[in-house]
């Protein structure tokens, strides 16, 4: 057993763990963030991709102890508010009188451009591959702000999606790249 | 995975002594990309794992006085891909940037690729074709050997149980008049069915002195087509067009994978691929700017 | 009051409501479920494909953390077997574990439950097992031979014997006469590969038994709550109302999760024994080995033609490899063959089929359900016939297909095609790809090929005389609506398209509609999500339920407003008098009356605003001659591929791919587009790479994503040539047809035909991998032939029909890859 500290999404997470624990297990079971998925445990499907000290890695193929002291970002870091509030949940007859959304300090416009593009382009079906796709594309677009469709395909060649046929994922990556470019560095 | 004790030494000397102290069951881990696959499947069951990822001198890239490129064994593919190399060294970047996928390349290291010595992987072929020197250290001191002697003909490496691969020394950027690398894989994320490299040196008159034609994926260690390569010697690079390229490619194929032994579909496929890839490499080498 | 469907949500690409949880990581899949006291189970699986075994688990029982060990022998007589869906008969050939003999690699032998995953895995290693290997049979055509090793010697099948566990028979028209009068007979033996669904989210479950209430709750990554509940309850002999199956977010299934699995039974037993929640999620290798694979088929097909290209007959002998056990296997032949005959109303059909067990992975349902297999054979023979008759492949299809203006039409095989636009799909695809130009000006190693396919929209299974789905709706007291359904969403966008329907019918805001998580304890009975049934069958039930609910709502409104119900309209979350859309009553008020102010209700009105509807499709059972209309309506399409083959490596590049589909009325175009693209991916994988490769002892060599060649983003061409020509169904009230699988069926044949046009090599076996392609090209060069069938399998044969009369394949296909 060994005690390690990993900064997950900006928060310090300490755990006393078996050396056998993989980074993905640390993220899911110690940091309790289950958005990072395991589709193969063999570094092939990419569903477990996260950012480790600025690089995208497959968290099923890294030991938690390898990441001791490092900084990890997962899909949960992409948008702060995790629930999209419905615009008018209040009763119709009182519409406008109460504003509970302001009370919980939430707004709907807080998705990361990649998430927004995935939503708009229908780039996810079952959604299992999505967190990995988002994390890989985030790193890729940071390095290649103006990619071609072929380059996007190369970038996600280590991420398997069984549902979408990849077409809408590539569409979404291109759309997000444009948004990110427009937003400037 | 079976239980193990994990060490993360901060310096080489510490690593040498840890390996010596914990005995032959100890496994080194660079990026862990190959090792962890084996650990998870319980194919490897080491009691001790020593990480090499926090030893600064193992991930440094530098140049020797003669222009040789010295790459620390724990340098990641991602680092190599981004390095600002010149001359034939650019091929190292290209090869490092075109294997596995982005996420694996962030962790995987060139030394790990060498020590894993999987013949379908690209690093062993690159090392043998470029005649890299392998700098090996242990508690007993440092030594260096040729890449060709690093890979054991039976598979694996010739490293001893206490050895750590420390550095890979590539010849200077200007050494090769021409360098080429190519591979065939079913999908971009697959290991190669066949990979190949051709490194060519010339004399002052522009005549070929050495043409090293190396294939991976065929045997347990990189295969050198010596006779086929020798046929190129004495020729000018720009005279390649007049060479019987298809014939040389067929000879290379027969040399490293005799057709009589190609009894399975996989072997027959490899035999055909060697011809295609060799033809491509030769044509490329002969092209202006090759 | 009629609904005005103009300006409605149905037909619009509404972005999906389910996306947000999936995009942000808050969605909970099976492996994300955490319960207090949860323990972990792991399964010991056979490493042999066929063997007797002896087991000693005593060491494992004493390992640290171990809370229980299970084996098959101790469950005999306590747990009921379940089984294959046969014709009118369930054969009890499935059990939680093998008892003393395994029939395929990966079969369950024992299981361990422990405090942690690692302890469970450590304990598995402490189980002592001794195998006594038996000879294996891996291929369907070997399994039927008299001296083949027998897999299940103790079962008696109604329509089969030995390894043949079921048979299939079709006799339509007069095939002898068709043969005698034919101007052309074309024939070929075609075989198709095994393919995994390989849904990215592995199969798994968490079973949780409450010993005080006697309630067993099973959270499972499944496509079908009630199929799992009923079989599980039956197997454990628990009351069905005390078994609750809940599906968390399901990371796809493609058919591979549409049945009960041994691991679900095992986890349940462990939870019953320990009283603790038991987690059992399979690894990728386990999913490959036991998560079911597409049934491989060998089809010996003959087609009869007149000189003008008219098809007069189809004769076929099918041998289907359904692996070591198979829940759905025989249905695949029945339904796939029947529907797969379309779009050709062939007058004379004669088919025999043997459905067999082999020592390979269990055969299951998989996207396309038998259609890709027959399409691969039939659509290639169409091209072969066209070339023999000197006709254009587009023309020979055009003169044979069911045409839109002939509909409704009943084919000799019994299909009632209510509507179709397949003729227009063909024309459109031909135009988009530039067919005639590409055929006339062929470039070396480039070619175009097409395939037509029609696909059922849900299905009445011959062994399963039902085809229903149900929806319950509740108007909540704040004017929001909850939808209850037991048909599990796993990527199809149920929450979105059902809400589109409900929103349109009730005039309630789209964002106010929520789909309740699928839970058998509160959802109405439905069969599940498979067979392209979501939009059409579930969607119809949803429309019916919504209409019923609206009637009730309007009745209250009419009473309160003292107007005639016919003068009322729904919209903007209100019910109002036509033309006065700013007035009227909010739905929340009406819902309030229905439960809190029941004196406001019309006399005799039963309080609360709920409505349930079940839709069972008007489809036929299979007749003794094999005919029948199994599907309520038929989607369809034309695919054309333009490929280039690299003569140096055998690598095939798809330069362009056109898909023109008829999906009837489309509820959500973007979702349907996604379904077609995903369907294509499955077809592409089957055509070019995915396969179950075994060594000679029956070990699966492709049980990892490293070896199993699932297409990557770089393998898929740009799919922007995607068109819809809707021919709205007249049987389904909303006009929609199934979208899930029409993208898959035609892909293999379209690519096979394109490869044949490009190179002259006609593949008769799948998948067409680069190595096969390159070696075929070399063999063709050596042979000097213009057209080369690979592996060449007696194209000129014209003898009698028995299996023995078809010579074995040649062409170096005997040995294994690797
Ligand atoms: C999914 C996947 C796909 C891949 N595809 C390709 C591909 O297509 N082509 C390709 O070329 N490669 C491919 N790789 C392999 C990749 O090249 C290797 O995983 C990588 O090179 C190993 O590097 P590592 O640092 O992770 O090594 P590790 O896994 O840490 O180590 C590998 C082995 O080398 C030993 N070792 C490591 N460093 C040293 C050292 N300095 N001295 C002595 N022994 C040492 C270890 O003990 C271990 O036995 C793939 C890997 C993965 C996981
Ligand atoms: S789970 Fe890590 S790559 Fe598949
Ligand atoms: S959306 Fe299901 S795997 Fe990608």
């Amino acid at each position: 057993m060994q005690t390690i500290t990993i900064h997950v999404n900006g928060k310090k997470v300490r755990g006393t763990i078996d050396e056998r624990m993989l980074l993905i297990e640390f993220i899911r079971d110690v940091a309790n963030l289950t958005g990072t998925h395991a589709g193969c445990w063999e570094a092939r499907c990419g569903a477990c991709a996260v950012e480790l000290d600025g690089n995208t890695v497959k968290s099923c193929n890294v030991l938690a102890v390898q990441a001791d002291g490092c900084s990890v970002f997962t899909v949960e870091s992409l948008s702060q508010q995790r629930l999209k509030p419905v615009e008018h949940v209040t009763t119709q007859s009182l519409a406008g009188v109460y504003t509970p959304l302001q009370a919980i300090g939430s707004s709907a416009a807080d998705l990361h451009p990649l998430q927004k593009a995935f939503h708009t382009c229908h780039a996810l079906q079952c959604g299992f591959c999505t967190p990995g796709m988002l994390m890989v594309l985030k790193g890729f677009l940071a390095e290649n702000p103006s990619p071609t469709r072929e380059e996007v395909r190369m970038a996600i060649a280590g991420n398997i999606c069984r549902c979408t046929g990849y077409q809408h994922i590539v569409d979404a990556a291109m759309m997000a790249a444009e948004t990110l470019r427009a937003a400037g560095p | 995975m079976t239980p193990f004790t994990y060490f993360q030494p901060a310096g080489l000397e510490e690593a040498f002594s840890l390996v010596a102290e914990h005995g032959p069951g100890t496994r080194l881990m660079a990026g862990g990309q190959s090792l962890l696959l084996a650990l998870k499947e319980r194919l490897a069951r080491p009691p001790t794992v020593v990480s090499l990822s926090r030893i600064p001198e193992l991930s440094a890239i530098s140049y020797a006085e003669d222009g040789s490129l010295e790459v620390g064994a724990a340098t990641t593919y991602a680092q190599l891909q981004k390095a600002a190399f010149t001359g034939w060294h650019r091929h190292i970047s290209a090869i490092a940037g075109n294997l596995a996928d982005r996420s694996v390349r962030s962790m995987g290291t060139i030394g790990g690729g060498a020590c894993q010595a999987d013949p379908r992987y690209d690093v062993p072929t690159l090392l043998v074709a470029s005649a890299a020197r392998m700098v090996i250290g242990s508690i007993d001191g440092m030594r260096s050997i040729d890449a060709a002697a690093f890979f054991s003909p039976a598979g694996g490496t010739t490293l001893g149980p206490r050895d750590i691969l420390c550095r890979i020394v590539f010849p200077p950027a200007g050494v090769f008049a021409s360098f080429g690398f190519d591979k065939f894989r079913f999908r971009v994320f697959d290991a190669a069915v066949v990979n190949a490299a051709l490194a060519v040196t010339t004399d002052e008159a522009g005549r070929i002195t050495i043409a090293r034609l190396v294939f991976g994926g065929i045997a347990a260690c990189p295969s050198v087509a010596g006779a086929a390569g020798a046929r190129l010697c004495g020729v000018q690079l720009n005279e390649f067009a007049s060479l019987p390229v298809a014939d040389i490619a067929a000879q290379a194929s027969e040399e490293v994978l005799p057709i009589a032994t190609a009894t399975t579909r996989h072997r027959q496929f490899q035999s055909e691929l060697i011809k295609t890839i060799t033809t491509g490499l030769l044509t490329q080498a002969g092209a202006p700017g090759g | 009051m009629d609904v005005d469907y103009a300006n409605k949500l149905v037909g619009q690409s509404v972005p999906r409501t389910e996306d947000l949880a999936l995009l942000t990581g808050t969605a909970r899949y099976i492996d994300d479920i955490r319960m207090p006291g949860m323990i972990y189970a792991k399964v010991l699986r056979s490493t042999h494909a066929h063997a007797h075994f002896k087991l000693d688990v005593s060491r494992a029982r004493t390992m640290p953390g171990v809370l229980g060990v299970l084996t098959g022998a101790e469950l005999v007589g306590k747990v009921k077997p379940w089984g294959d869906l046969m014709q009118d008969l369930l054969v009890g050939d499935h059990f939680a574990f093998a008892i003393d003999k395994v029939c395929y690699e990966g079969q369950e032998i024992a299981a361990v439950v422990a405090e942690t995953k690692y302890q469970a895995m450590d304990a598995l290693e402490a189980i002592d097992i001794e195998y006594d290997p038996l000879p294996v049979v891996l291929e369907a055509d070997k399994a039927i031979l008299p001296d083949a090793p027998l897999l299940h010697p103790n079962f008696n099948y109604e329509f089969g014997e030995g390894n043949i566990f079921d048979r299939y028979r079709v006799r339509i028209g007069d095939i002898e006469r068709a043969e005698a009068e034919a101007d052309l007979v074309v024939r070929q033996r075609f075989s198709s590969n095994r393919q995994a669904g390989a849904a990215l989210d592995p199969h798994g479950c968490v079973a949780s038994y409450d010993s005080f209430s006697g309630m067993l709750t099973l959270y499972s990554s499944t496509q079908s709550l009630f199929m799992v509940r009923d079989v599980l309850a039956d197997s454990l002999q628990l009351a069905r109302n005390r078994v609750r199956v809940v599906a968390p977010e399901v990371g796809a299934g493609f058919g591979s999760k549409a049945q009960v699995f041994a691991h679900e039974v095992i986890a349940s037993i462990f939870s019953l024994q320990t009283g603790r929640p038991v987690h059992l999620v399979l690894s990728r290798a386990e999913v490959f080995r036991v998560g079911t694979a597409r049934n491989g088929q060998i089809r010996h097909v003959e087609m009869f033609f007149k000189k003008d290209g008219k098809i007069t007959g189809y004769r076929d002998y099918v041998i289907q490899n359904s692996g070591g056990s198979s829940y759905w296997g025989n249905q695949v032949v029945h339904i796939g063959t029947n529907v797969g005959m379309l779009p050709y109303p062939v007058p004379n059909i004669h088919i025999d089929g043997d459905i067999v067990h082999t020592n390979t992975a269990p055969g299951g349902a998989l996207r396309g359900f038998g259609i890709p297999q027959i399409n691969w054979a039939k659509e290639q023979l169409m091209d072969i016939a066209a070339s023999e008759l000197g006709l254009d492949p587009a023309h020979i299809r055009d003169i044979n297909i069911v045409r839109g203006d002939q509909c409704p039409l009943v084919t000799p095989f019994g299909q009632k095609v209510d509507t179709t636009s397949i003729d227009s799909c063909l024309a459109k695809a031909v135009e988009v790809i530039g067919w005639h130009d590409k055929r006339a000006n062929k470039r070396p190693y480039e070619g175009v090929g097409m395939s037509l396919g029609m696909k059922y929209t849900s299905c009445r299974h011959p062994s399963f005389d039902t085809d229903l789905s149900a929806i319950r709706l509740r108007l909540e007291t704040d004017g929001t609506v909850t939808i209850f359904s037991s048909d599990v969403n796993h990527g199809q966008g149920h929450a979105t398209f059902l809400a589109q329907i409900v929103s349109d019918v009730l005039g309630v805001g789209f964002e106010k509609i929520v789909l309740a998580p699928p839970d058998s304890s509160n959802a109405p009975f439905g069969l599940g999500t498979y067979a392209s049934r979501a939009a059409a069958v579930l969607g119809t039930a949803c429309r019916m339920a919504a209409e019923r609910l609206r009637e009730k709502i309007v009745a209250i409104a009419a009473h309160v407003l003292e107007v005639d119900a016919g003068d009322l309209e729904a919209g903007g979350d209100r019910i109002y008098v036509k033309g006065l859309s700013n007035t009227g009553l909010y739905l929340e008020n009406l819902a309030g009356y229905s439960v809190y102010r029941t004196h406001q209700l019309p006399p005799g009105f039963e309080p609360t605003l709920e409505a349930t509807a079940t839709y069972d499709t008007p489809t036929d059972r299979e007749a003794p001659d094999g005919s029948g209309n199994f599907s309520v309506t038929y989607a369809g399409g034309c695919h054309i591929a333009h490929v280039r083959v690299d003569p140096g490596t055998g690598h095939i590049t798809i330069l362009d791919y056109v898909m023109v589909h008829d999906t009837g009325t489309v509820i959500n175009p973007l979702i349907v587009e996604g379904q077609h693209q995903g369907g294509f991916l499955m077809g592409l994988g089957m055509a070019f790479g995915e396969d179950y490769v075994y060594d000679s002892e029956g070990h699966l060599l492709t049980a990892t994503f490293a070896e199993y060649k699932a297409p990557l983003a770089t393998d898929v061409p740009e799919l922007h040539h995607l068109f819809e020509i809707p021919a709205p169904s007249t049987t389904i009230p909303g006009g929609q047809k199934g979208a899930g699988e029409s993208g898959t069926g035609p892909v293999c044949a379209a690519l096979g035909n394109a490869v044949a046009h490009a190179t002259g090599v006609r593949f008769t076996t799948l998948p067409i991998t680069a190595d096969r392609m390159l070696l075929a090209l070399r063999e063709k060069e050596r042979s000097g032939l213009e057209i080369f069938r690979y592996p060449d399998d007696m194209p000129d044969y014209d003898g009698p029909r028995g299996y023995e009369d078809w010579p074995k394949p040649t062409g170096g296909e005997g040995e294994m890859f690797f």
Side-chain angles (χ1 to χ4, degrees), chain C residues 348-430:
Chain C
N348 305 293
I349 307 174
H350 180 111
I351 303 173
D352 289 297
D354 291 338
I355 303 149
V356 309
H357 283 308
T358 62
N359 299 111
T360 62
L366 185 58
R367 207 166 192 167
F369 208 78
I371 307 256
Q373 292 96 316
I374 181 170
N375 194 284
W376 163 244
K378 186 192 59 163
E379 286 294 304
Q380 289 211 86
L381 277 179
M382 290 297 286
D383 267 34
I384 293 174
S387 125
E388 298 272 328
L389 293 167
L391 300 172
D392 185 284
H395 175 72
I396 195 168
R397 287 177 172 82
D398 193 49
I399 62 169
N400 279 299
I401 51 181
V402 185
R403 310 196 81 80
D405 57 15
Q406 299 170 321
C407 290
L409 170 141
V410 180
T411 68
F413 212 168
Q415 297 116 351
K416 296 183 185 115
V417 182
D418 58 349
T419 59
T420 188
S421 66
I422 191 114
D423 43 346
S424 318
C425 292
L426 172 60
K428 173 85 180 176
V430 161

Side-chain angles (χ1 to χ4, degrees), chain C residues 436-695:
Chain C
H436 295 295
D437 174 54
K438 294 208 163 73
R439 297 290 293 194
N441 305 304
K442 187 183 145 13
R443 300 209 194 143
Y445 295 104
E446 274 188 33
V448 285
M450 64 167 60
S451 172
L452 296 179
M454 282 173 87
K455 182 64 186 65
Y456 56 74
T457 297
S458 192
C459 210
R460 182 166 300 264
H461 286 262
S463 309
F464 210 42
D465 181 16
T466 170
D467 188 18
L468 60 81
S469 277
I471 289 276
R472 190 168 80 247
L473 298 176
R474 183 162 67 219
L475 182 66
E476 308 290 2
T477 49
D478 63 350
T480 58
V481 177
T482 308
I483 306 175
F484 297 89
S485 158
S486 59
D487 290 7
V488 183
N489 168 60
H490 49 286
Q492 298 82 356
H494 285 49
T496 305
F497 78 78
L498 291 174
Q500 286 178 268
I501 294 172
V502 170
S503 173
D504 281 0
V505 176
L506 296 182
V508 62
F510 175 76
E511 73 289 345
K512 293 189 163 183
I513 304 167
V514 162
L515 174 64
D519 181 338
S520 70
S521 69
N522 60 31
F525 190 97
L527 293 177
T529 305
Y530 57 88
S532 308
R533 54 203 310 280
V537 181
L538 188 65
T540 299
C542 186
R543 182 177 303 279
M544 286 162 58
E547 281 166 0
R548 279 177 199 169
L549 185 58
R550 191 186 58 211
E551 229 168 82
K552 288 189 176 185
I553 298 169
V554 168
I556 302 177
H559 179 72
V560 174
L561 296 171
E562 299 183 353
V563 293
D564 195 66
D567 293 335
L568 293 173
E569 214 153 305
D573 295 308
R574 310 169 194 237
I575 304 293
Y576 54 88
V577 176
K578 273 183 192 156
L580 303 170
S581 58
N582 289 329
T583 65
L585 292 164
Y586 283 122
L587 292 175
E588 72 199 42
N589 302 126
L590 293 163
Y593 297 147
S594 80
V595 296
Y596 293 138
R597 301 191 196 297
T598 56
H599 272 100
Q600 305 274 4
L601 298 176
F605 189 97
E606 191 183 322
T608 77
L609 280 173
E610 285 204 22
T612 305
T614 305
Y615 181 62
D616 189 17
T617 62
T619 40
D620 300 343
R621 296 218 65 192
E622 188 179 62
D625 64 0
S627 70
N629 184 54
F630 305 160
S631 174
V632 55
T633 184
Y634 296 88
C638 177
H639 288 198
I640 303 185
H642 177 199
V643 304
R644 180 170 46 217
V645 177
D646 180 339
T649 63
H651 181 76
I652 305 168
T653 308
I654 303 175
L655 300 171
D656 195 1
Y657 199 91
V658 180
M659 295 188 260
V660 190
H661 289 124
D662 162 24
T663 313
T665 304
V666 170
I667 299 177
N668 188 319
L670 201 56
I671 291 182
V672 167
E673 205 177 286
Q675 287 293 317
H676 291 328
Q677 292 162 348
F680 168 78
L681 178 102
M682 281 272 153
L684 174 67
M686 180 175 173
F688 283 174
E690 297 180 37
D691 200 5
Y692 271 47
V693 180
Y694 289 92
D695 70 10

